[in-house]
Protein backbone atom coordinates (compact mmCIF):
# COMPACT_ATOMS: atom_id res chain seq x y z
CA UNK A 1 0.00 0.00 0.00
CA UNK A 2 1.37 3.39 -1.01
CA UNK A 3 0.65 6.28 1.35
CA UNK A 4 1.10 10.01 0.88
CA UNK A 5 4.45 11.57 1.86
CA UNK A 6 4.89 11.84 5.62
CA UNK A 7 2.54 8.96 6.43
CA UNK A 8 4.43 5.94 7.75
CA UNK A 9 2.81 2.51 7.89
CA UNK A 10 3.18 0.86 11.29
CA UNK A 11 1.07 -2.22 10.58
CA UNK A 12 -1.89 -3.47 8.62
CA UNK A 13 -4.81 -4.63 10.75
CA UNK A 14 -5.56 -8.29 10.05
CA UNK A 15 -8.14 -10.50 11.78
CA UNK A 16 -8.83 -14.22 11.84
CA UNK A 17 -11.29 -15.44 9.22
CA UNK A 18 -14.21 -17.60 10.27
CA UNK A 19 -12.29 -20.74 9.28
CA UNK A 20 -9.24 -19.51 11.20
CA UNK A 21 -11.36 -18.77 14.26
CA UNK A 22 -12.94 -22.23 14.10
CA UNK A 23 -9.52 -23.87 13.73
CA UNK A 24 -8.18 -21.95 16.74
CA UNK A 25 -11.31 -22.79 18.76
CA UNK A 26 -10.99 -26.52 17.92
CA UNK A 27 -7.30 -26.52 18.86
CA UNK A 28 -8.15 -24.81 22.15
CA UNK A 29 -10.90 -27.38 22.88
CA UNK A 30 -8.56 -30.29 22.14
CA UNK A 31 -5.92 -28.92 24.47
CA UNK A 32 -8.48 -28.25 27.23
CA UNK A 33 -9.79 -31.82 26.83
CA UNK A 34 -6.22 -33.08 27.12
CA UNK A 35 -5.70 -31.14 30.36
CA UNK A 36 -9.08 -32.25 31.75
CA UNK A 37 -8.42 -35.89 30.84
CA UNK A 38 -5.07 -35.76 32.60
CA UNK A 39 -6.66 -34.35 35.75
CA UNK A 40 -9.37 -37.04 35.72
CA UNK A 41 -6.76 -39.77 35.16
CA UNK A 42 -4.74 -38.43 38.07
CA UNK A 43 -7.75 -38.17 40.43
CA UNK A 44 -9.27 -41.54 39.55
CA UNK A 45 -5.81 -43.07 39.45
CA UNK A 46 -5.57 -42.76 43.20
CA UNK A 47 -8.03 -45.57 43.76
CA UNK A 48 -8.14 -47.53 40.50
CA UNK A 49 -4.73 -47.37 38.83
CA UNK A 50 -1.12 -47.86 39.71
CA UNK A 51 1.22 -45.04 40.65
CA UNK A 52 2.64 -44.64 37.14
CA UNK A 53 -0.83 -43.91 35.72
CA UNK A 54 -1.36 -41.22 38.33
CA UNK A 55 1.97 -39.69 37.41
CA UNK A 56 1.10 -39.99 33.71
CA UNK A 57 -2.20 -38.20 34.38
CA UNK A 58 -0.37 -35.46 36.24
CA UNK A 59 2.10 -35.00 33.38
CA UNK A 60 -0.68 -34.95 30.76
CA UNK A 61 -2.66 -32.35 32.71
CA UNK A 62 0.45 -30.22 33.25
CA UNK A 63 1.32 -30.32 29.55
CA UNK A 64 -2.30 -29.52 28.64
CA UNK A 65 -2.42 -26.53 30.98
CA UNK A 66 0.91 -25.28 29.59
CA UNK A 67 -0.43 -25.61 26.04
CA UNK A 68 -3.63 -23.71 26.95
CA UNK A 69 -1.55 -20.89 28.43
CA UNK A 70 0.76 -20.89 25.39
CA UNK A 71 -2.20 -20.60 23.02
CA UNK A 72 -3.59 -17.70 25.06
CA UNK A 73 -0.25 -15.87 25.00
CA UNK A 74 0.15 -16.54 21.28
CA UNK A 75 -3.32 -15.14 20.61
CA UNK A 76 -2.71 -11.99 22.67
CA UNK A 77 0.68 -11.39 21.02
CA UNK A 78 -0.75 -11.68 17.47
CA UNK A 79 1.35 -14.80 16.79
CA UNK A 80 -1.83 -16.73 15.92
CA UNK A 81 -2.78 -13.96 13.45
CA UNK A 82 0.67 -14.19 11.82
CA UNK A 83 0.41 -17.97 11.49
CA UNK A 84 -3.15 -17.72 10.16
CA UNK A 85 -2.01 -15.14 7.61
CA UNK A 86 0.69 -17.51 6.37
CA UNK A 87 -1.89 -20.31 6.08
CA UNK A 88 -4.41 -18.08 4.31
CA UNK A 89 -6.83 -18.10 7.25
CA UNK A 90 -6.75 -14.34 7.89
CA UNK A 91 -8.90 -11.47 6.61
CA UNK A 92 -7.36 -8.15 5.58
CA UNK A 93 -9.61 -5.40 6.92
CA UNK A 94 -8.29 -2.54 4.79
CA UNK A 95 -7.40 -0.66 7.97
CA UNK A 96 -3.91 0.52 8.82
CA UNK A 97 -2.07 1.90 11.83
CA UNK A 98 0.08 4.81 10.70
CA UNK A 99 2.23 7.57 12.11
CA UNK A 100 1.90 11.03 10.58
CA UNK A 101 4.78 13.49 10.31
CA UNK A 102 4.29 17.06 11.48
CA UNK A 103 4.63 18.50 7.96
CA UNK A 104 1.67 16.54 6.53
CA UNK A 105 -1.28 18.66 5.41
CA UNK A 106 -4.07 17.34 7.62
CA UNK A 107 -6.80 18.59 5.25
CA UNK A 108 -5.35 16.47 2.43
CA UNK A 109 -4.85 13.58 4.88
CA UNK A 110 -8.53 13.69 5.89
CA UNK A 111 -9.60 13.88 2.23
CA UNK A 112 -7.68 10.70 1.39
CA UNK A 113 -8.17 8.66 4.54
CA UNK A 114 -11.00 7.98 6.95
CA UNK A 115 -9.69 8.35 10.50
CA UNK A 116 -11.11 5.55 12.63
CA UNK A 117 -9.20 6.24 15.83
CA UNK A 118 -6.24 8.10 17.26
CA UNK A 119 -4.18 7.00 20.25
CA UNK A 120 -0.73 8.10 21.40
CA UNK A 121 0.26 9.60 18.07
CA UNK A 122 -0.90 6.59 16.06
CA UNK A 123 -3.82 6.89 13.66
CA UNK A 124 -5.98 3.95 12.62
CA UNK A 125 -7.14 4.79 9.11
CA UNK A 126 -8.99 3.36 6.16
CA UNK A 127 -8.45 4.54 2.60
CA UNK A 128 -11.51 6.37 1.30
CA UNK A 129 -13.09 4.93 -1.84
CA UNK A 130 -13.30 6.98 -5.03
Amino acid sequence: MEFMNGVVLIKEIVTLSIVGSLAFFCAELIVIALAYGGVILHIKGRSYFSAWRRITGLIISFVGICLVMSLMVAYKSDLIISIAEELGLADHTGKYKVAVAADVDMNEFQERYEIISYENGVYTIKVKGN
Side-chain angles (χ1 to χ4, degrees), residues 17 19 22 27 38 42 45-46 49 65 78 86 98 101 108 113:
S17 66
V19 174
L22 287 174
H42 179 70
R46 290 183 182 165
F49 301 124
I65 290 169
D78 289 339
E86 290 295 321
V98 296
E108 182 183 354
Y113 309 110

Side-chain angles (χ1 to χ4, degrees), residues 17-44:
S17 66
I18 292 174
V19 174
S21 296
L22 287 174
F24 178 75
F25 180 70
C26 288
E28 191 76 26
L29 280 179
I30 290 169
V31 171
I32 289 171
L34 175 74
Y36 180 74
V39 169
I40 295 301
L41 183 61
H42 179 70
I43 291 171
K44 289 194 174 194

Side-chain angles (χ1 to χ4, degrees), residues 24 28 63-77 79-80:
F24 178 75
E28 191 76 26
V63 168
I65 290 169
C66 288
L67 287 173
V68 167
M69 296 307 243
S70 297
L71 283 174
M72 287 178 180
V73 168
Y75 186 75
K76 290 302 271 183
S77 68
L79 180 61
I80 295 293

Side-chain angles (χ1 to χ4, degrees), residues 44-95:
K44 289 194 174 194
R46 290 183 182 165
S47 56
Y48 300 119
F49 301 124
S50 62
W52 74 269
R53 286 199 179 172
R54 287 193 327 239
I55 293 171
T56 303
L58 185 64
I59 292 170
I60 290 171
S61 62
F62 179 74
V63 168
I65 290 169
C66 288
L67 287 173
V68 167
M69 296 307 243
S70 297
L71 283 174
M72 287 178 180
V73 168
Y75 186 75
K76 290 302 271 183
S77 68
D78 289 339
L79 180 61
I80 295 293
I81 301 287
S82 300
I83 293 170
E85 194 171 9
E86 290 295 321
L87 296 174
L89 299 174
D91 288 335
H92 296 270
T93 62
K95 297 176 186 173

